[in-house]
């Protein structure tokens, strides 16, 4: 795979009233061409900084950044402009000329000359096609102020892809939309990216957005990359504390800890019972493992919470269940489950 973007030991430091502050620290990342990457982190983690370094809106304090095979630090203005012309951006709020119709704005982006005042017929035809794809055909001649936030963001996605960019940077592009609108926008990004083989970087604090369309995930925490990898693998078995905060916040399985902390009667265990969490970290969960251990080891398994989601094509998640039976049988059942690459944790026992 060819890399569209490579960060090598990149640090960005700014001077603040409290002294120097590193927004991004010694970041090494390779973004493959055609990949859809979720850059996730809490507010202030450095997501926007990372995106701004890609299109050279910010320059690194140290390290090198290569975009589309070019070392940004070594380019002259012309070379830089040529790289930047192949990058599109979508922010939280869509950026449209209020005095132009949606069709005109998208057509200008689709035209050969981005400075052109009037788009030509070919560009208009392309803009029309894109607006039809984002379900804005009937609103093509309206002005930005006449569209809802979600509609305008769909138009912004059409505009971003109109210039056939090699790289698309989305900074919290769905943060101002409701869940269904976000889904629509994300799926359009995925569709256009796959059709054009563009590389997409989606900066977000919403793990649901990453699960929806990103094949890779990069987790940032206070300027550091704390975890990265293929989305379903990272989310199935997160290693960094920051990643676990995101996965737990999105899963109902985390509720069990609240129940345990609050000594909720639901988690009162009788003698011989164990409260166990099972997490699927393997791609194949096709075997009916719960019914298998019940039969094979002669124990009862009573499921309390279950949360299995499909990420990409892979099921991730798990269950929390009460295991009941002879101590030895439960121990053997746990060993069996672990041999099947299920992550088993005894949360409480009596
Ligand atoms: N020019 C600057 N001078 C000083 N501090 C800055 C500057 N730009 C950003 N920061 C700080 O650097 C940190 C990283 O900012 P950045 O915008 O990259 O984070 P983020 O992950 O995108 O956050 P958010 O999700 O809130 O947008 C933040 O603490 C921010 O306040």
């Amino acid at each position: 795979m060819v890399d569209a973007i490579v960060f090598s030991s990149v640090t960005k430091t700014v001077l603040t009233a409290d002294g120097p502050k590193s927004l991004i620290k010694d970041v090494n990342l390779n973004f493959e061409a055609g990949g859809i990457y979720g850059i996730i982190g809490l507010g202030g983690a450095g997501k926007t900084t990372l995106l701004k370094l890609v299109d050279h809106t910010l320059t690194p304090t140290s390290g090198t950044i290569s975009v589309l095979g070019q070392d940004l630090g070594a380019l002259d203005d012309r070379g830089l402009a040529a790289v930047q012309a192949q990058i599109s951006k979508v922010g939280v709020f869509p950026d449209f000329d209020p005095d132009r119709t949606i069709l005109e704005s998208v057509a200008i982006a689709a035209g050969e000359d981005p400075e052109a005042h009037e788009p030509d017929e070919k560009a208009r035809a392309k803009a029309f096609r894109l607006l039809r794809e984002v379900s804005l055909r009937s609103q093509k001649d309206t002005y930005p102020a006449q569209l809802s936030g979600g509609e305008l963001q769909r138009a912004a996605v059409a505009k971003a892809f109109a210039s056939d960019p090699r790289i698309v940077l989305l900074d919290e592009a769905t943060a101002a939309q409701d869940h269904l609108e976000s889904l629509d926008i994300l799926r359009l990004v995925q569709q256009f990216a796959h059709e054009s083989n563009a590389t997409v970087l989606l900066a977000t604090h919403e793990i649901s957005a990453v699960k929806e369309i990103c094949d890779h995930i990069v987790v940032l925490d206070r300027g550091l990359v704390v975890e990265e990898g293929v989305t379903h693998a990272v989310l199935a078995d997160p290693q960094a504390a920051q990643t676990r905060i995101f996965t737990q916040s999105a899963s109902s399985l985390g509720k069990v800890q609240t129940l345990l902390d609050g000594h909720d009667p639901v988690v009162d265990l009788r003698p011989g019972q164990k409260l166990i969490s099972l997490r699927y970290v393997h791609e194949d969960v096709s075997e009916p493992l719960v019914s298998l251990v019940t039969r094979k080891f002669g124990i009862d398994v009573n499921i309390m919470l279950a949360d299995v989601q499909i990420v990409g094509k892979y099921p991730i998640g798990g269950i929390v269940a009460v295991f009941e039976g002879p101590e030895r049988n439960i121990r053997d059942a746990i060993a069996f489950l672990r041999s099947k690459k299920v992550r088993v944790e005894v949360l409480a026992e009596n």
Side-chain angles (χ1 to χ4, degrees):
M1 266 291 183
V2 185
D3 289 321
I5 305 164
V6 182
F7 275 57
S8 308
S9 308
V10 174
T11 295
K12 175 66 185 176
T13 306
V14 290
L15 270 179
T16 71
D18 302 327
K21 178 178 177 182
S22 292
L23 315 184
I24 285 283
K25 296 171 207 158
D26 194 25
V27 167
N28 291 289
L29 286 170
N30 292 48
F31 298 95
E32 287 174 4
I36 304 185
Y37 290 82
I39 316 291
I40 192 153
L42 298 174
K47 307 181 291 293
T48 300
T49 302
L50 193 134
L51 295 197
K52 285 183 173 172
L53 287 163
V54 172
D55 75 350
H56 213 64
T57 315
L58 285 178
T59 52
T61 309
S62 60
T64 55
I65 300 168
S66 149
V67 176
L68 303 171
Q70 310 271 354
D71 174 357
L72 295 186
L75 291 175
D76 58 16
D77 287 353
R78 216 170 133 167
L80 208 50
V83 173
Q84 285 169 331
Q86 300 183 72
I87 302 176
S88 284
K89 293 191 278 186
V90 183
V92 185
F93 301 108
D95 178 22
F96 277 92
D97 180 343
D99 299 323
R100 285 190 183 274
T101 65
I102 296 301
L103 181 81
E104 282 173 343
S105 283
V106 177
I108 286 173
E112 313 255 300
D113 176 9
E115 305 299 321
H117 208 65
E118 285 306 318
D120 60 26
E121 270 319 301
K122 195 170 145 210
R124 281 180 178 275
K126 185 173 181 185
F128 179 69
R129 209 170 56 241
L130 282 163
L131 287 174
R132 197 180 52 204
E133 296 225 32
V134 301
S135 310
L136 289 175
R137 183 186 176 161
S138 59
Q139 283 122 307
K140 68 179 174 42
D141 296 320
T142 55
Y143 289 85
Q146 295 169 283
L147 293 181
S148 73
E151 288 167 340
L152 211 48
Q153 200 62 316
R154 292 209 304 276
V157 169
K159 184 164 152 248
F161 282 92
S163 57
D164 295 324
R166 302 316 314 134
I167 294 171
V168 178
L169 307 175
L170 300 132
D171 195 355
E172 301 285 6
T174 57
Q177 267 65 53
D178 67 36
H179 182 64
L180 287 178
E181 283 171 340
S182 292
L183 272 183
D184 263 358
I185 293 162
L186 291 167
R187 294 210 176 117
L188 287 166
V189 168
Q190 186 180 42
Q191 178 198 329
F192 290 150
H194 283 164
E195 284 168 5
S196 63
N197 202 38
T199 308
V200 173
L201 271 56
L202 171 78
T204 180
H205 59 273
E206 293 169 328
I207 193 85
S208 56
V210 178
K211 283 181 182 167
E212 198 55 42
I213 63 161
C214 298
D215 36 52
H216 292 77
I217 182 169
V218 174
V219 186
L220 284 178
D221 183 13
R222 285 160 286 181
L224 290 170
V225 173
V226 291
E227 192 154 6
E228 54 151 328
V230 175
T231 305
H232 69 86
V234 169
L235 298 187
D237 193 19
Q239 302 297 311
Q242 191 65 58
T243 320
R244 281 201 284 271
I245 289 172
F246 281 110
T247 53
Q248 281 166 8
S249 69
S251 167
S252 61
L253 299 181
K255 279 193 193 122
V256 74
Q257 199 52 53
T258 316
L259 297 174
L260 284 168
D261 292 346
H263 303 288
D264 194 290
V266 174
V267 288
D268 264 353
L269 300 174
R270 291 196 303 274
Q273 288 186 327
K274 288 186 200 301
L275 186 65
I276 292 181
S277 114
L278 307 177
R279 265 192 309 123
Y280 303 128
V281 294
H282 193 237
E283 287 169 12
D284 181 11
V285 290
S286 55
E287 273 187 275
L289 289 174
V290 170
S291 59
L292 201 62
V293 288
T294 308
R295 273 184 279 122
K296 194 172 163 82
F297 299 98
I299 57 174
D300 287 329
V301 177
N302 181 16
I303 296 174
M304 282 182 57
L305 294 167
D307 182 10
V308 179
Q309 297 174 26
I310 305 297
V311 176
K313 312 189 278 291
Y314 305 98
I316 63 161
I319 63 173
V320 173
V322 176
F323 281 43
E324 184 167 14
E327 174 80 30
R328 192 193 159 80
N329 297 21
I330 293 181
R331 221 177 32 238
D332 289 348
I334 290 174
F336 172 78
L337 286 165
R338 286 189 173 137
S339 76
K340 294 284 180 186
K341 298 221 172 71
V342 176
R343 183 139 303 176
V344 184
E345 196 185 340
V346 179
L347 303 172
E349 55 191 309
N350 194 344

